[in-house]
Amino acid sequence: MASTTTDASAAGTLTLGGELEVRRLGFGAMRITGEGIWGPPTDREEAKAVLRRAVELGVNFIDTADAYGPEVSEELIAEALHPYPEGLVLATKGGMTRPGSGRWVRDCSPEHLREACQGSLRRLRLDRIDLYQLHAVDPGVPLEESVGALAELRDEGKIAHVGLSNVDPEELERAREVVPVVSVQNRYSVAERDSDPVLDRCERDGLAFIPWGPLRAVRDDGDGMIGRVADAHDASELQVALAWLLARSPAMLPIPGTSSVEHLEENVAAAGLRLTEDEFGELSAAY
């Protein structure tokens, strides 16, 4: 198995909005909540230990959302890490509500987004959120109105930078006509590359691309290609899937999440895994 002591700095860095330098392997704080991303975790102290260990391992970008729990993930981040270490960048999202376990309902009305942002500021114990992302596009609300609300919050100093999540290229361009956008968070892995056009746009224009769902590649490894590459590097299959993402584009900012310190250390170790050109090409072609 590849070393589990690698620091996140081995992944290199990128800059959000021309001012926030982050290491290209972050932490997604969705899984520190209860089963089904609902309620508190079974072991609250372990969840906080994961967050603290992530920072110890050089992770300086943590992504969450008010819908995770709901509210639980943001509360745990503040409990574990506030007062925040210098250079730690926190990103959260608004626009998704949780009427029950397993249910996700979009509400990107300006009124809800403003209320959601205020709640995140309170739970994270911040005066300004580094990166605030529209969680999804609401078909019942014009995108320009949703993003316009985020532009107002940015002008008021409540958020520093605006990001988007779950958007296509056309939606990205419409949003950018309203407010500067510094990142896009879409489902993406070596096995699921529908967002290639969005990723290419991000790379071209200096935006960060934050992929979620990297495990899809491991689950769909029908011909065993990821397993063979993992064996060649004495690494895990998930580490190979993360290494492929890091190699795919300098705009890539993976945020693997977990509720286990052991799994966290394994994920961060992927920062130091380097695929050969042949391995990268073979994995790309396999899907």
Side-chain angles (χ1 to χ4, degrees), residues 18-220:
E19 63 171 0
L20 300 176
E21 185 175 80
V22 298
R23 288 161 187 148
R24 285 204 310 132
L25 193 67
F27 178 76
M30 183 173 73
R31 297 290 175 188
I32 61 172
T33 62
E35 185 177 354
I37 326 302
W38 184 259
T42 303
D43 189 336
R44 197 174 188 93
E45 292 308 310
E46 173 73 3
K48 290 191 284 187
V50 169
L51 290 162
R52 295 185 184 114
R53 184 60 176 150
V55 173
E56 289 174 358
L57 290 171
V59 171
N60 68 342
F61 179 82
I62 295 178
D63 176 84
T64 185
D66 65 347
Y68 298 163
E71 304 181 358
V72 174
S73 177
E74 292 180 330
E75 292 170 349
L76 284 168
I77 289 169
E79 287 180 26
L81 301 175
H82 190 274
Y84 300 113
E86 184 176 357
L88 179 64
V89 174
L90 296 181
T92 191
K93 310 177 201 72
M96 199 79 77
T97 64
R98 301 295 306 282
S101 178
R103 298 180 63 193
W104 302 76
V105 177
R106 302 182 186 197
D107 183 353
C108 296
S109 64
E111 297 78 14
H112 174 76
L113 289 171
R114 179 169 289 275
E115 180 181 348
C117 180
Q118 288 294 149
S120 292
L121 284 165
R122 182 179 65 256
R123 286 184 293 274
L124 291 168
R125 306 179 198 173
L126 291 171
D127 295 322
R128 184 177 72 166
I129 295 168
D130 296 318
L131 174 61
Y132 195 80
Q133 303 156 96
L134 186 70
H135 206 149
V137 176
D138 185 343
V141 180
L143 176 59
E144 288 75 10
E145 290 186 13
S146 301
V147 179
L150 302 190
E152 291 178 0
L153 291 165
R154 177 176 176 267
D155 291 342
E156 294 166 13
K158 293 178 180 176
I159 59 179
H161 298 284
V162 173
L164 304 173
S165 185
N166 302 305
V167 295
D168 62 29
E170 186 261 346
E171 290 164 340
L172 171 58
E173 292 311 309
R174 285 171 57 195
R176 294 177 74 189
E177 291 177 3
V178 178
V179 67
V181 172
V182 304
S183 65
V184 175
Q185 183 170 159
N186 277 9
R187 187 179 184 111
Y188 190 85
S189 71
V190 64
E192 195 165 37
R193 306 204 294 265
D194 292 344
S195 284
D196 268 334
V198 177
L199 170 57
D200 292 341
R201 192 79 50 92
C202 288
E203 182 175 337
R204 183 194 73 190
D205 294 346
L207 282 61
F209 184 88
I210 306 171
W212 62 271
L215 279 172
R216 170 71 185 273
V218 176
R219 296 190 185 110
D220 289 1

Side-chain angles (χ1 to χ4, degrees), residues 3-16 21-29 51 53-63 87-89 208-212 214 238-247 249-258 263-274:
S3 169
T4 57
T5 59
T6 303
D7 189 281
S9 61
T13 63
L14 57 76
T15 303
L16 294 167
E21 185 175 80
V22 298
R23 288 161 187 148
R24 285 204 310 132
L25 193 67
F27 178 76
L51 290 162
R53 184 60 176 150
V55 173
E56 289 174 358
L57 290 171
V59 171
N60 68 342
F61 179 82
I62 295 178
D63 176 84
L88 179 64
V89 174
F209 184 88
I210 306 171
W212 62 271
L238 180 56
Q239 286 174 327
V240 171
L242 292 170
W244 183 90
L245 287 171
L246 289 167
S249 170
M252 195 75 73
L253 175 54
I255 50 167
T258 179
H263 291 160
L264 167 73
E265 292 175 346
E266 177 184 327
N267 291 342
V268 174
L273 178 58
R274 298 290 183 267

